[in-house]
Amino acid sequence: MDYLTDGSEYEVESIPEQLPVLYADEHLVAVYKPAGLLVHRSPIDGEKSRFAMQIVRDQLGHYVYPVHRLDKPTSGVLLLARSSSVASLMMPMFASGQVNKYYEAIVRGFICQRQVLDYALKNEDNPQAEPKSAITEYWPERFAELPVATGRYPTSRYSWLKICPKTGRRHQIRRHMHHISHPIIGDTTHGDGRHNRLFRSQEWPGLWLLAKKLMFTHPVNQRDVVIELDYPQRWMRVQQELFERYPVMM
């Protein structure tokens, strides 16, 4: 099996010939980006020939422009501009927090209350630089306890979280969850290898981080825009096989 640079499998989801369109107007288009697909060409995957921007360009028949980041192992809503001028309007909105981003994740252990973490993060490419403010709000949706031992514990506990990052630092959610000792399952850079292996053994591979929803004011027509994704098949499967089969009520 092929692997990503962070250890996640390429084949977590198949890459279709066309990406599902979640929203489209004359200025913007949002698609579902499956796990394992880069947004655009990158040195980390120079040998690969297919990228989200290329796929969307081919299916729409014109160039598109990225306005925010979505890591390769992360699946979810990817917003693209249809022109460079609209991209230049949208990118500052993401940078300044004018776009509300909602993620969902499966993490190790039980998180029982809504919390806000304000913990500055260093630049991963320049550790000597001053850390920058990073704020993440998160709250639990459901819990599960798998009757399989992990390390010295007889069972394995998991929380399904909803997460709203208030800032946009690189790998912010993954690094913040690691900081509070509730790493995201499938994160081989900031996660727990024992739980990652357990999920793979149950045939639930990949990074369990989903970009679920975007909310913002349209930069051209000033209308409120809400783009929300239905759960992908792999998320529905883990919900049924883990969270509905081994639920814990809090």
Side-chain angles (χ1 to χ4, degrees), residues 100-104 110-118 135-143 159-166 177 180 182 213 215 250:
N100 293 316
K101 300 172 289 185
Y102 296 90
Y103 289 76
E104 300 196 14
F110 289 162
I111 294 178
C112 301
Q113 295 180 337
R114 192 181 195 109
Q115 299 179 54
V116 177
L117 176 63
D118 186 345
I135 302 172
T136 303
E137 183 177 11
Y138 53 94
W139 58 98
E141 177 74 7
R142 53 181 68 94
F143 307 92
S159 298
W160 183 311
L161 300 183
K162 297 194 177 221
I163 303 172
C164 181
K166 305 298 184 180
M177 291 300 104
I180 63 171
H182 290 283
K213 182 168 66 170
M215 298 176 61
M250 291 291 188

Side-chain angles (χ1 to χ4, degrees), residues 27 65 81-90 220:
H27 305 289
Y65 302 82
R82 292 179 180 262
S83 67
S84 59
S85 60
V86 173
S88 68
L89 296 174
M90 280 299 315
V220 178

Side-chain angles (χ1 to χ4, degrees), residues 23-179:
Y23 171 88
D25 62 28
E26 59 189 302
H27 305 289
L28 299 166
V29 60
V31 298
Y32 172 68
K33 187 195 83 66
L37 181 66
L38 274 171
V39 173
H40 49 71
R41 187 177 297 277
S42 167
I44 70 171
D45 253 351
E47 78 283 0
K48 291 297 179 180
S49 59
R50 300 185 71 219
F51 309 91
M53 287 177 58
Q54 176 197 51
I55 294 172
V56 177
R57 177 198 68 192
D58 292 346
Q59 72 187 74
L60 296 181
H62 60 75
Y63 283 102
V64 290
Y65 302 82
V67 297
H68 66 125
R69 295 190 301 265
L70 207 57
D71 294 339
K72 182 172 184 177
T74 303
S75 56
V77 180
L78 175 65
L79 185 66
L80 300 164
R82 292 179 180 262
S83 67
S84 59
S85 60
V86 173
S88 68
L89 296 174
M90 280 299 315
M91 285 189 288
M93 292 175 62
F94 275 93
S96 63
Q98 296 179 64
V99 178
N100 293 316
K101 300 172 289 185
Y102 296 90
Y103 289 76
E104 300 196 14
I106 298 172
V107 304
R108 180 187 72 186
F110 289 162
I111 294 178
C112 301
Q113 295 180 337
R114 192 181 195 109
Q115 299 179 54
V116 177
L117 176 63
D118 186 345
Y119 178 74
L121 295 172
K122 291 184 178 180
N123 185 323
E124 291 179 310
D125 296 324
N126 183 14
Q128 304 305 317
E130 192 71 18
K132 292 186 176 181
S133 173
I135 302 172
T136 303
E137 183 177 11
Y138 53 94
W139 58 98
E141 177 74 7
R142 53 181 68 94
F143 307 92
E145 187 165 13
L146 187 66
V148 177
T150 304
R152 67 180 185 272
Y153 300 103
T155 63
S156 301
R157 295 178 172 183
Y158 302 102
S159 298
W160 183 311
L161 300 183
K162 297 194 177 221
I163 303 172
C164 181
K166 305 298 184 180
T167 51
R169 308 306 174 202
R170 186 180 180 190
H171 300 156
Q172 175 175 316
I173 296 173
R174 295 161 66 176
R175 296 166 72 187
H176 269 180
M177 291 300 104
H178 169 78
H179 177 71

